Amino acid sequence: MTRLVLEGLRRTYGATVAVDRVDLEVQQGELVALLGPSGCGKTTTLRMVAGFVQPSAGRVLIGGADVTREPPFARDTGMVFQGYALFPHMTVAENVGFGLEMRRVAKGERASRVAEALRLVRLDGYGERRPAQLSGGQQQRVALARALVVNPGVFLLDEPLSNLDARLRAEVRVEIRALQQRLGLTTLFVTHDQEEALTMSDRLVVMDRGRVRQIGSPEALYERPADLFVAGFLGRCNILRGAVEAPGRFRAGGAALACESGVPGVRKALVVRPERVAIGPMGGSAGALPGRIAMVTYLGGLTDWHVETDAGVVLVTRPTPQEGDPLRRLAAGDAVTLDWVPAAGLLLDDEQQGDNS
């Protein structure tokens, strides 16, 4: 059983704190994603696990063994880099087998393990090609095979899909997750892409300025973010600022809005996910929020309505209405009403993070 444990992991560069006291346990067979904006410390954390960056403080344990001061080749890890890092002068088979050669694995065993790794990533018969003869998706699979061939206890992925186009990214994302689950790999995955993190991981670690803001399942973090940073970074949301007027009622900019129960008189931020907002022509249910459509954006299976209200601009996302549905006729300038159930209005401390509003 290979478990990855980070204890008080910290990395500083002079006065700059890149990673600040990160504690994390990744269980056998679990895929945990480190998610956050550029510069939040997620890649530095991953590189400390891999051994490419030495921690300023804290420990890295793999399978119960303290590997904090061990070099990368002495750790039970396999890593897939953002830029693939394939050797252009080597064949696919030579690239995949490079780690085995460094570990002095016998030539015969090396060949069989390389063949098996290529089979796992559906590149049978590609062993004699060179990276320049492969597509981006195929090069990514070679990088995966090279990390898998050493039978790592911990699988490390550093933004592995960022160089692929949207279609390939979605395809390879599914392949990586299926492979990870089939092989039962303990995996730490770095990404800044919210959709990747939500769809691939068992748990998410949201980081900001070197610190962990929240850890939990994708559903838990999306439905119950701990603060405005997590709410605004993980998926789209409406953030409306004001105060609790009464239990279940929130006042923002003169508008009374539905919310979960709160303490009257306390200033809060009301967070509502766009897909939880109902929209209809003016004259909806009593207590609904009136507004006027500023913009309609067609997204294929979904449609966005940007609605100006007394509480601020509210984003509404719903399945694109079909012919005959009254919502299909709504256009910019139309008066509408918005509504949501109280449980959809999450109250969080108002941190005045304007970039997330």
Side-chain angles (χ1 to χ4, degrees):
M1 300 288 284
T2 304
R3 186 174 63 138
L4 171 65
V5 179
L6 312 184
E7 295 181 350
L9 213 56
R10 180 179 171 87
R11 176 66 195 190
T12 59
Y13 296 95
T16 302
V17 180
V19 175
D20 193 7
R21 296 187 297 276
V22 170
D23 294 299
L24 177 65
E25 293 188 12
V26 183
Q27 303 301 326
Q28 168 68 41
E30 185 180 30
L31 191 154
V32 172
L34 301 180
L35 176 69
S38 296
C40 73
K42 57 187 185 294
T43 294
T44 302
T45 300
L46 189 79
R47 288 181 170 269
M48 284 192 282
V49 175
F52 298 120
V53 173
Q54 280 296 311
S56 303
R59 298 199 303 164
V60 177
L61 293 92
I62 295 176
D66 187 343
V67 300
T68 311
R69 302 302 166 191
E70 296 289 341
F73 64 83
R75 303 187 181 204
D76 189 15
T77 60
M79 185 162 177
V80 178
F81 297 89
Q82 181 176 355
Y84 313 150
L86 302 179
F87 298 112
H89 64 286
M90 290 185 179
T91 65
V92 166
E94 289 168 343
N95 267 283
V96 173
F98 182 75
L100 297 177
E101 188 176 355
M102 292 299 99
R103 289 167 170 79
R104 291 183 167 79
V105 174
K107 189 173 182 180
E109 181 184 348
R110 197 160 70 230
S112 63
R113 286 171 64 172
V114 166
E116 173 60 16
L118 290 176
R119 186 193 64 78
L120 282 173
V121 298
R122 298 190 295 111
L123 286 178
D124 313 62
Y126 283 74
E128 296 308 310
R129 299 192 189 187
R130 297 191 185 276
Q133 297 173 292
L134 305 178
S135 67
Q138 289 168 338
Q139 290 185 49
Q140 180 58 275
R141 291 187 180 95
V142 173
L144 287 169
R146 185 179 56 189
L148 292 171
V149 77
V150 297
N151 297 326
V154 175
F155 196 36
L156 305 174
L157 302 166
D158 184 13
E159 303 260 16
L161 308 178
S162 60
N163 292 330
L164 303 179
D165 62 38
R167 183 187 63 80
L168 264 180
R169 195 158 56 239
E171 179 182 311
V172 178
R173 182 171 68 208
V174 172
E175 290 181 356
I176 290 176
R177 180 55 165 158
L179 194 61
Q180 180 267 334
Q181 290 182 315
R182 187 165 77 250
L183 300 178
L185 296 169
T186 304
T187 304
L188 192 61
F189 175 82
V190 162
T191 182
H192 66 274
D193 188 293
Q194 303 159 21
E195 186 176 342
E196 283 179 15
L198 287 169
T199 56
M200 291 181 67
S201 61
D202 297 302
R203 283 189 300 147
L204 294 178
V205 179
V206 177
M207 297 183 68
D208 175 40
R209 290 172 289 184
R211 293 191 173 186
V212 172
R213 298 294 288 251
Q214 191 175 359
I215 301 175
S217 69
E219 182 179 0
L221 267 62
Y222 186 82
E223 299 291 346
R224 303 296 302 184
D227 54 40
L228 285 184
F229 177 84
V230 176
F233 191 80
L234 194 62
R236 301 188 301 171
C237 63
N238 296 294
I239 299 177
L240 307 171
R241 291 179 165 87
V244 178
E245 186 175 53
R249 299 302 292 176
F250 184 84
R251 185 160 292 277
L257 312 172
C259 68
E260 59 183 2
S261 183
V263 179
V266 176
R267 286 199 62 80
K268 289 283 186 177
L270 180 68
V271 174
V272 187
R273 297 292 184 185
E275 68 274 12
R276 302 294 173 80
V277 182
I279 184 171
M282 183 62 76
S285 61
L289 175 65
R292 191 169 297 277
I293 296 175
M295 183 170 63
V296 181
T297 306
Y298 173 72
L299 302 171
L302 299 173
T303 294
D304 281 350
W305 290 269
H306 301 258
V307 181
E308 295 176 341
T309 75
D310 287 344
V313 176
V314 176
L315 173 65
V316 183
T317 302
R318 309 294 295 182
T320 296
Q322 303 299 307
E323 291 291 346
D325 188 326
L327 295 184
R328 193 174 180 89
R329 296 193 296 271
L330 293 179
D334 287 351
V336 294
T337 53
L338 309 178
D339 203 3
W340 55 84
V341 299
L346 180 64
L347 293 174
L348 295 174
D349 290 338
D350 186 359
E351 303 172 10
Q352 285 297 323
Q353 295 191 74
D355 57 331
N356 291 328
S357 53

